[in-house]
Amino acid sequence: MSDNEEVQGPKSTFSTYVAEGDQLFQKGEYVKAIESFSTALSLQPGDKNCLVSRSRCYLKLGDAESALKDAETSLQDNKCFFKGLYQKAEALYTMGDFEFALVYYHRGNKLRPELQEFRLGIQKAQEAIDNSVGSPSSVKLENKGDLSFFHKTNGVRPKHLNPSHKRESKKHGRKIDKSEKTAKELLGELYSDREYLEKLLQDEDLIKGKIRTGERVQDLIVGCISYLDTRTAFWQQQKPIYARQRDRKLMQQQWNRALHKPPSDPTRYVLNSLEEIDTGNTESSLKKARELMKVVKEWSEEVLPNKTEVLGNLHSCIGNALMDLGNMDKALHHHQKDLELANKGDLLDSKSRALDNIGRVYARIGKFQQAIEVWEEKLPLAYGGLEKAWLFHEIGRCYLELKRYREARDYGSRSLMAADDISDEKWQLNASVLMAQAELKLGNYKACVSHFERALDQAKLLQDDSASEAIQKALCEARYRVTQ
């Protein structure tokens, strides 16, 4: 099996891919989370909760347009879906459309006034609008009774004949200079790019040409300049200059404290490279991770004190990329190398990550017993209620696949307890469904009905129509068996 073989179709369930996406989102692996949510949507197209989850990932990666598209799709069948409203507002806010964002924050707040997210959204959108003093979008039309503007201009000299016009022009010129200075501070290194693009527009021969896609060079350049101007306006409205300067200084101080070394240190190089790997697409991430591994292997531990940890992280990145490409054998090899390095360096967090990924590979290829063994080894390392709820659920699913229904029920119960502890409605739903399925197989139909009823309540609370429909059908079957 080659690294570049075609991606195979989904091998797991919708809920499993959604759960995987949720976990990757929590870890900050947004590109991989998008892939999981996209796979889930290929199984249940149009699932609005999944669309919102993918939209959140796009927003984290700065792709506000894709985030807005998913948010709007989630609202197609139900304009009052509060999660979709909030996500649409967030996307609009990120794009700099503060007024429209404010409208949707208000709509959501009207529907769900108890949710703090909408109140905070209203506040930050209003502040952004207030900060945009001087921009056309912030000008408010007020009628204070003065209609002199509409009267004839008898006795008023045209501006070009007015002696004060020259003084006004000079003042205007100073404003332009100040505006350019502000843009320069806002754009930073990108300001020189903007100047270069403006010079290109003066080349008449160049702008008449077209690129391979047929798009005119002039349109492309103008679009780039327009984008930079839009971002300048957005940054200026969202936060004043002095605040951004302060934030940059604080961020730089935090970096220096974290690294305890100058910027030229290899640690910074590794961190920047890992960030690029996390935000790239699967194939480019795989290539970058392999290239970085070659470099790191050449370094001594004096140059990179945490070399073992970095190599383990790279094996994990490579393994996840190969898993996404369908090359499970090689993916498993790299995750096992990650585990080997974690044990060697006594790195508990790395060990937990490696066991997590090894279990996912085994589950994907249908080796459920091996997945159970690996994930049960991970259990003592699980941190936080969300990770425990996910892990108990996945182990229970594997037992259900192996037709070991009592163990599946027991792990479903543990998953439900963990979800209840953190009041996570989505995992309460997943765990309740798992327990209901196990009880159905065990012939405990009353218990099955009880768990399905709770799952249905959670699905309705989450406004998950596809889950509600599937649970309703299963519930009808379970109730029928109770009467037999």
Side-chain angles (χ1 to χ4, degrees), residues 5 127 140 186 444:
E5 73 176 70
E127 287 177 355
K140 296 180 180 179
L186 286 165
N444 301 326

Side-chain angles (χ1 to χ4, degrees), residues 24-34 278 316 320 353:
L24 289 167
F25 180 87
Q26 292 294 330
K27 291 180 178 180
E29 298 179 15
Y30 305 119
V31 174
K32 296 181 176 65
I34 287 172
D278 284 339
S316 178
N320 284 331
R353 174 190 65 213

Side-chain angles (χ1 to χ4, degrees), residues 49-64:
N49 284 285
C50 192
L51 284 164
V52 166
S53 295
R54 190 171 69 176
S55 176
R56 290 169 61 207
C57 295
Y58 281 129
L59 212 53
K60 287 288 186 181
L61 293 173
D63 187 355

Side-chain angles (χ1 to χ4, degrees), residues 12-27 29 32-41 43 47 49-50 53 56-57 356 360 364 375 386-395 397 415 424 426-431 464:
S12 196
T13 63
F14 171 79
S15 60
T16 300
Y17 284 116
V18 171
E20 184 178 86
D22 288 336
Q23 190 189 35
L24 289 167
F25 180 87
Q26 292 294 330
K27 291 180 178 180
E29 298 179 15
K32 296 181 176 65
I34 287 172
E35 292 172 359
S36 294
F37 289 132
S38 296
T39 306
L41 286 166
L43 294 171
D47 182 88
N49 284 285
C50 192
S53 295
R56 290 169 61 207
C57 295
D356 181 345
R360 287 200 300 133
R364 286 276 190 95
W375 277 335
L386 183 62
E387 186 174 12
K388 289 179 181 177
W390 172 83
L391 190 56
F392 289 142
H393 178 270
E394 293 306 289
I395 295 174
R397 290 291 309 175
S415 177
D424 191 295
K426 182 177 288 187
W427 282 104
Q428 288 171 340
L429 166 62
N430 292 335
D464 191 336

Side-chain angles (χ1 to χ4, degrees), residues 193-428:
D193 294 333
R194 188 185 183 283
E195 287 185 317
Y196 178 71
L197 289 168
E198 287 181 336
K199 288 180 181 177
L200 289 180
L201 278 179
Q202 297 173 11
D203 188 333
E204 294 183 3
D205 292 331
L206 175 66
I207 62 177
K208 290 178 181 177
K210 293 184 179 181
I211 61 175
R212 291 182 179 178
T213 59
E215 189 175 1
R216 293 198 313 162
V217 172
Q218 183 179 6
D219 294 340
L220 194 61
I221 295 172
V222 171
C224 291
I225 293 174
S226 176
Y227 172 77
L228 290 175
D229 288 343
T230 301
R231 300 320 295 167
T232 302
F234 172 71
W235 290 326
Q236 187 173 13
Q237 292 165 1
Q238 192 176 31
K239 191 178 285 188
I241 280 283
Y242 74 87
R244 281 189 295 277
Q245 290 173 336
R246 179 196 62 205
D247 290 348
R248 283 200 294 268
K249 288 179 180 177
L250 288 173
M251 189 178 295
Q252 186 62 45
Q253 290 171 3
Q254 290 170 357
W255 264 102
N256 292 336
R257 283 198 298 270
L259 296 173
H260 299 289
K261 291 175 182 178
S264 59
D265 189 85
T267 304
R268 181 181 292 276
Y269 170 77
V270 169
L271 288 173
N272 289 339
S273 299
L274 287 173
E275 186 176 351
E276 289 179 7
I277 290 168
D278 284 339
T279 56
N281 60 49
T282 302
E283 291 183 353
S284 67
S285 294
L286 178 60
K287 183 180 179 181
K288 289 177 182 177
R290 283 172 168 166
E291 290 172 352
L292 181 59
M293 180 174 283
K294 289 179 183 178
V295 173
V296 171
K297 282 182 176 179
E298 296 296 323
W299 290 345
S300 66
E301 292 194 355
E302 292 181 357
V303 174
L304 191 67
N306 59 339
K307 178 179 177 179
T308 301
E309 185 176 357
V310 171
L311 286 173
N313 201 323
L314 288 170
H315 276 296
S316 178
C317 292
I318 293 171
N320 284 331
L322 290 169
M323 184 160 56
D324 290 340
L325 292 170
N327 195 336
M328 297 301 178
D329 291 338
K330 288 189 177 182
L332 183 60
H333 167 75
H334 281 283
H335 289 313
Q336 287 172 337
K337 289 294 290 184
D338 182 21
L339 180 59
E340 181 183 318
L341 290 168
N343 288 329
K344 178 183 175 182
D346 195 24
L347 305 168
L348 295 182
D349 287 341
S350 299
K351 181 178 180 179
S352 178
R353 174 190 65 213
L355 291 171
D356 181 345
N357 289 325
I358 291 170
R360 287 200 300 133
V361 173
Y362 280 137
R364 286 276 190 95
I365 62 179
K367 294 186 176 181
F368 300 112
Q369 185 58 48
Q370 288 93 323
I372 289 169
E373 292 170 1
V374 170
W375 277 335
E376 286 184 336
E377 185 180 351
K378 174 186 163 69
L379 280 175
L381 304 174
Y383 177 78
L386 183 62
E387 186 174 12
K388 289 179 181 177
W390 172 83
L391 190 56
F392 289 142
H393 178 270
E394 293 306 289
I395 295 174
R397 290 291 309 175
C398 288
Y399 275 123
L400 193 68
E401 294 287 344
L402 292 173
K403 299 181 180 180
R404 294 170 61 177
Y405 303 123
R406 285 185 174 81
E407 289 93 335
R409 177 187 59 191
D410 293 343
Y411 270 102
S413 176
R414 295 172 73 178
S415 177
L416 184 58
M417 288 176 63
D420 285 342
D421 286 342
I422 59 174
S423 300
D424 191 295
E425 296 167 348
K426 182 177 288 187
W427 282 104
Q428 288 171 340

Side-chain angles (χ1 to χ4, degrees), residues 86 89-90 93 101-102 105-106 108-109 112-128:
Y86 178 74
E90 288 284 278
Y93 179 86
L102 184 60
Y105 284 130
H106 273 297
N109 187 57
R112 297 293 296 269
E114 76 279 7
L115 294 180
Q116 187 180 16
E117 289 90 338
F118 288 114
R119 294 196 299 274
L120 292 175
I122 291 170
Q123 181 181 348
K124 72 178 182 182
Q126 190 61 61
E127 287 177 355

